[in-house]
């Protein structure tokens, strides 16, 4: 039996809005194995982003346990959570979220430069490797405003992978892309999973995209509708 | 740290116009302060120099109680020779003292045989007086500027008196004075020269030889009204003043009471209040500079944080530590401060250099055509520069702290 990369047991998250408790995740259990390609699917407001935020150590559960790489994320304070994310988790955002003052090369380099502080030569070699892997080597010196949306998301994928994390989280990574580009990005993510053996977990509400996942968890109103559907 | 500064500089360049406007405010503030400090400081030094080097000396030593009655020039409060010798012994032992000059001061009547008016006279030893107040000979407007300031039988009179009495160099005049016993005596003098007036006490006095003064006042012994002291280093005035007050203040009479008092030029001249006012204005203008830097940098940094909330959320999500985010924004404030300071210093020094080339003149009291020659000490420049950079960093602290404490989820959701 392989050890799970992610394991959630009776996980809940409740937000307090004024005097009212609003449950976002209601007692969820799941496990995700290493090097898998997983999608959390469901309509808007079903709790996908809340779940991804907790997996990404950006938020704490209200109750239950969530272990990421065998670490109970509820035990991490702000600083430790930042360090954990920097070392083990990559992020791909819906709006790409590239830093506008940095070039494509520098955006990919950022986690190695400002978070992990790799030596310059090693850093450069790793960034070039990722640029090549995502097919952006010829755009390395351009700024984000000089490339297309699909290219931006390729850069974002490269940035998420550059520090060799065990897990990459992508919240609606294709929402701002046309279908063709969206498929290409998902193919790229899958290839990266194959090349780097990194687990990809993404959320989507687009039925056409969810078919790309190898395992899908369907969320509805904060509850999992199945135990993980293997495609 | 270089990585942080690199990204901080690019973020500043991202909003070029706003960064430039902030820099402009810092530069204007710096230039205003440095120019004011240079011009006001040089004016103050020049005026203090005029007063100390041509009239008062840096310090003065009197018999106890003399200064309280100094307007009357009381002859009964002159120092006796024994006391003078003890004071001179004390001055000799102080390595900070360069020279001193004994003076006999009195009020008398000045007559050109047609008209009579009052005059305040200093009896001086010309060589020692010139060594103690080296600018005094330079005040001679008319008369032979070479040689001793005044010889026996000669008098140097202030310009206003010469004009009022229509007296010229070479004229014979009479000075009449009442001695300590109340008897009146007169002596004729030849006008040796006419002195330019200066602001402050003693600035319109006449000068005769100290031996003539003692003869006129029928002194039976070598009394002295005051001893003007010149220091080797004027910047150590307060320190030497304290030392002399301690050493000379211990001289006591038979009853054990102190007989000597020591005063700095600032205790004796009302110009010291003007100098203090200049210092106060300098302080206020520094406060204005601090306010300008504080408000402008804080404003630009608050805007920077507000406009980059999603970006802050992104870098926080991908693992940038809160302290690193704090450092990123503090560095932006630091760079604004440093660049503004450097530009301000360069422009200020260029302006000071330009003023020194231009050599504008101004009038102060009776003194005409004084050349403005602003200078600024490196210490002043460094202090003001450090202040501006420090304030720029402090102004960035609150926005930077806010950025570093931002919740990544909230920041990422920000529209």
């Amino acid at each position: 039996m392989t050890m799970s990369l992610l394991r959630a047991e009776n996980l809940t998250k409740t937000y307090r809005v004024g005097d009212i408790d609003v449950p976002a995740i209601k007692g969820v259990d799941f496990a995700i194995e290493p090097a898998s390609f997983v999608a959390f699917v469901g309509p808007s407001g079903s709790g996908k982003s809340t779940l991804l935020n907790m997996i990404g150590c950006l938020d704490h559960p209200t109750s239950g346990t969530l272990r990421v790489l065998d670490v109970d994320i509820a035990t991490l304070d702000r600083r430790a959570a930042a360090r954990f994310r920097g070392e083990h988790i990559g992020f791909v955002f819906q709006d790409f979220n590239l830093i506008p003052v940095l070039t494509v090369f520098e955006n990919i380099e950022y986690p190695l430069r400002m978070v992990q502080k790799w030596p310059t030569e090693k850093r450069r070699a790793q960034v070039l490797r990722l640029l090549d892997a995502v097919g952006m080597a010829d755009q390395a010196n351009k700024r984000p405003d000089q490339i297309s949306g699909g290219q931006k998301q390729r850069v974002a994928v490269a940035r998420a992978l550059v520090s060799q994390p065990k897990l990459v989280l992508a919240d609606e990574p294709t929402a701002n892309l046309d279908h063709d580009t969206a498929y290409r990005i998902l193919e790229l993510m899958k290839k990266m999973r194959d090349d780097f053996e990194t687990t990809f977990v993404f959320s989507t509400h687009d039925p056409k995209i969810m078919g790309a996942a190898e395992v899908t968890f369907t969320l509805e109103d904060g509850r999992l509708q199945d135990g993980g559907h293997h495609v | 740290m270089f990585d942080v500064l690199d990204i901080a500089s690019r973020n500043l360049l991202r909003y070029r116009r706003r960064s430039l406007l902030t820099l402009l405010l810092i530069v204007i503030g710096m230039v205003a302060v440095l120019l004011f400090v240079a011009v006001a400081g040089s004016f103050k030094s020049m005026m203090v120099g005029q007063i100390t080097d041509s009239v008062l000396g840096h310090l003065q030593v009197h018999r106890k109680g003399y200064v309280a009655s100094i307007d009357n020039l009381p002859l009964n409060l002159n120092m006796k020779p024994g006391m003078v010798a003890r004071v001179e012994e004390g001055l000799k032992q102080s390595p900070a003292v360069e020279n001193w000059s004994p003076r006999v001061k009195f009020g008398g009547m000045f007559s050109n045989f047609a008209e009579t008016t009052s005059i305040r006279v200093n009896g001086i030893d010309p060589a020692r007086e010139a060594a103690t107040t080296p600018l005094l000979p330079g005040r001679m407007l008319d008369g032979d500027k070479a040689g001793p300031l005044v010889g026996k039988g000669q008098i140097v009179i202030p310009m206003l008196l010469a004009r009022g009495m229509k007296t010229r160099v070479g004229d014979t005049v009479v000075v009449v004075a009442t001695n300590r016993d109340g008897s009146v005596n007169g002596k004729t003098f030849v006008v040796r020269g006419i002195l330019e007036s200066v602001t402050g006490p003693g600035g319109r006095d006449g000068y005769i030889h100290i031996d003539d003064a003692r003869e006129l006042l029928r002194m039976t012994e070598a009394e002295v009204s005051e001893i003007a002291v010149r220091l080797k280093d004027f910047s150590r005035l307060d320190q030497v003043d304290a030392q002399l007050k301690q050493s000379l203040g211990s001289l006591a009479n038979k009853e054990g009471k102190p007989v000597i008092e020591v005063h700095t030029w600032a205790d004796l001249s009302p110009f010291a209040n003007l100098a203090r006012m200049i210092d106060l204005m300098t302080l206020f203008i520094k406060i204005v500079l601090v306010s300008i830097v504080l408000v402008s940098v804080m404003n630009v940094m608050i805007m920077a944080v507000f406009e980059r909330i999603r970006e802050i959320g992104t870098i926080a999500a991908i693992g940038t530590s809160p302290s690193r985010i704090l450092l990123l924004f503090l560095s932006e404030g630091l760079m604004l401060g440093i660049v503004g300071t450097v530009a301000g210093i360069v422009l200020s020094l260029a302006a000071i250099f330009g003023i020194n080339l231009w050599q504008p003149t101004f009038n102060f009291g009776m003194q005409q055509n004084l050349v403005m020659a602003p200078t600024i000490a490196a210490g002043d420049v460094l202090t003001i520069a450090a202040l501006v950079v420090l304030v720029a960093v402090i102004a960035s602290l609150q926005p930077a702290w806010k950025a570093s404490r931002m919740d990544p989820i909230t920041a990422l959701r920000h529209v």
Side-chain angles (χ1 to χ4, degrees), chain B residues 62-337:
Chain B
H62 299 94
R63 184 169 163 181
K64 191 86 180 166
Y66 187 92
V67 171
S69 315
I70 200 162
D71 286 344
N72 304 326
L73 302 175
L75 295 172
N76 60 332
L77 288 175
N78 282 346
M79 292 180 272
K80 299 290 182 189
M83 198 185 289
V84 172
R86 288 160 76 190
V87 169
E88 288 188 323
E89 190 56 36
L91 293 174
K92 260 183 212 164
Q93 284 172 4
S94 172
V97 172
E98 185 175 299
N99 277 300
W100 66 87
S101 173
R103 295 169 179 168
V104 172
K105 300 182 74 121
F106 62 96
M109 300 302 290
F110 176 91
S111 172
N112 61 1
F113 302 102
E115 291 175 276
T116 301
T117 188
S118 60
I119 186 172
R120 287 164 55 102
V121 182
N122 289 299
I124 56 165
D125 175 329
R128 295 178 73 177
E129 186 67 22
T132 306
T133 52
L135 295 184
L136 178 60
R139 284 171 52 203
M140 190 91 86
L141 292 174
D142 197 5
D144 185 8
K145 290 181 182 174
L149 180 74
V150 68
K152 286 185 182 173
Q154 293 178 327
I155 186 169
V156 175
I157 58 171
M159 182 183 66
L160 285 177
L161 183 79
R163 275 191 196 157
M165 298 290 284
K166 298 180 183 68
T167 305
R168 292 179 183 168
V169 171
D171 288 356
T172 300
V173 296
V174 176
V175 175
V176 178
T178 305
N179 69 9
R180 197 194 316 173
D181 302 329
S183 57
V184 177
N185 192 27
K187 184 171 170 58
T188 55
F189 292 92
V190 175
V191 176
R192 154 86 172 81
I194 293 167
L195 281 183
E196 179 192 28
S197 301
V198 293
T199 306
R204 295 174 194 177
D205 287 1
Y207 289 84
I208 60 174
H209 196 282
I210 195 165
D211 292 344
D212 287 342
R214 286 174 179 149
E215 185 190 333
L216 181 62
L217 294 169
R218 292 181 178 171
M219 289 179 180
T220 53
E221 50 188 354
E223 294 178 19
V224 167
S225 307
E226 73 185 17
I227 298 175
V229 180
R230 180 174 182 79
L231 306 182
K232 287 175 182 161
D233 180 3
F234 181 65
S235 65
R236 293 187 60 217
L237 178 67
D238 290 340
Q239 198 182 337
V240 179
D241 177 44
Q243 284 167 1
L244 289 179
K245 276 190 168 100
Q246 195 173 16
S247 60
L248 300 180
S250 63
L251 299 177
N253 60 15
K254 288 171 189 167
E255 288 83 43
K257 291 183 178 169
V259 290
I260 294 298
E261 56 188 17
V262 180
H263 292 94
T264 66
W265 73 271
D267 300 327
L268 301 165
S269 169
F271 181 77
N273 292 327
L274 189 55
R276 282 186 207 106
M277 189 67 78
I278 290 171
D279 291 342
L280 198 63
M281 284 168 70
T282 306
L283 176 70
F284 276 117
I285 200 164
K286 281 179 186 168
I287 291 171
V288 170
L289 172 70
V290 165
S291 309
I292 289 172
V293 174
L294 196 72
V295 171
S296 57
V297 174
M298 191 178 264
N299 179 52
V300 82
M301 292 311 298
I302 286 172
M303 286 300 291
V305 170
F306 181 75
E307 286 171 353
R308 280 154 47 196
I309 289 177
R310 277 173 69 89
E311 204 174 304
I312 293 164
T314 305
I315 62 172
I318 62 181
T320 311
S321 66
S323 57
R324 200 100 168 134
I325 296 174
L326 181 88
L327 203 58
L328 263 172
F329 283 89
L330 281 185
S331 300
E332 289 184 30
L334 175 75
M335 291 179 93
L336 275 174

Side-chain angles (χ1 to χ4, degrees), chain A residues 15 50 53 56 58-59 78-79 82-83 85-86 89 91 93 95 97-103 106 110-111 113-115 117 123 143 159, chain B residues 2-4 6-7 10-11 14 310-311 313-325 328 403-409 412-413:
Chain A
Y15 293 108
T50 303
N53 285 340
L58 295 169
D59 208 352
R78 188 183 177 80
R79 197 174 296 271
R83 200 178 313 122
R85 286 196 301 272
I89 305 175
F91 287 86
F93 303 96
D95 296 320
N97 291 23
L98 300 180
I99 299 167
V101 293
L102 302 180
T103 63
E106 290 163 338
Y110 183 92
R113 186 181 178 190
M114 297 294 284
V115 181
K117 296 163 196 168
R123 206 162 74 198
R143 290 192 187 270
R159 181 177 67 184
Chain B
F2 173 77
D3 293 332
V4 171
D6 177 33
I7 294 177
R10 294 190 201 195
N11 279 320
R14 187 197 299 195
R310 277 173 69 89
E311 204 174 304
T314 305
I315 62 172
I318 62 181
T320 311
S321 66
S323 57
R324 200 100 168 134
I325 296 174
L328 263 172
S404 73
R405 304 304 299 170
M406 219 170 257
D407 172 34
I409 298 174
L412 283 167
R413 281 192 196 131

Side-chain angles (χ1 to χ4, degrees), chain A residues 21 24 33 43 48 65 70 76 78 84 99 116 118 124 126 132 139 143 161 178 185-186 195-196 206 211-212 230-231:
Chain A
D21 285 337
E33 305 309 318
K48 303 185 300 293
T65 56
D70 213 26
L76 300 175
R78 188 183 177 80
F84 188 81
I99 299 167
Q116 297 204 352
W118 285 26
R124 183 176 164 74
Q126 174 72 347
D132 200 39
Q139 312 286 323
R143 290 192 187 270
L161 286 164
D178 62 70
I185 288 296
L186 283 170
D195 291 352
F196 297 102
D206 186 344
H230 289 256
V231 179

Side-chain angles (χ1 to χ4, degrees), chain B residues 35-44 46-47 351-363 368-375:
Chain B
L35 272 185
F36 183 84
V37 169
V39 171
S42 66
F43 168 74
K44 187 178 131 185
M46 188 166 62
M47 294 318 300
I352 290 168
F353 181 71
I355 294 172
N356 278 306
L357 281 182
W358 178 28
Q359 294 191 323
T361 56
F362 65 99
N363 300 333
Q368 313 256 314
N369 294 324
L370 294 168
V371 177
M372 186 186 288
T375 54

Side-chain angles (χ1 to χ4, degrees), chain A residues 71 108 207:
Chain A
V71 172
I108 298 170

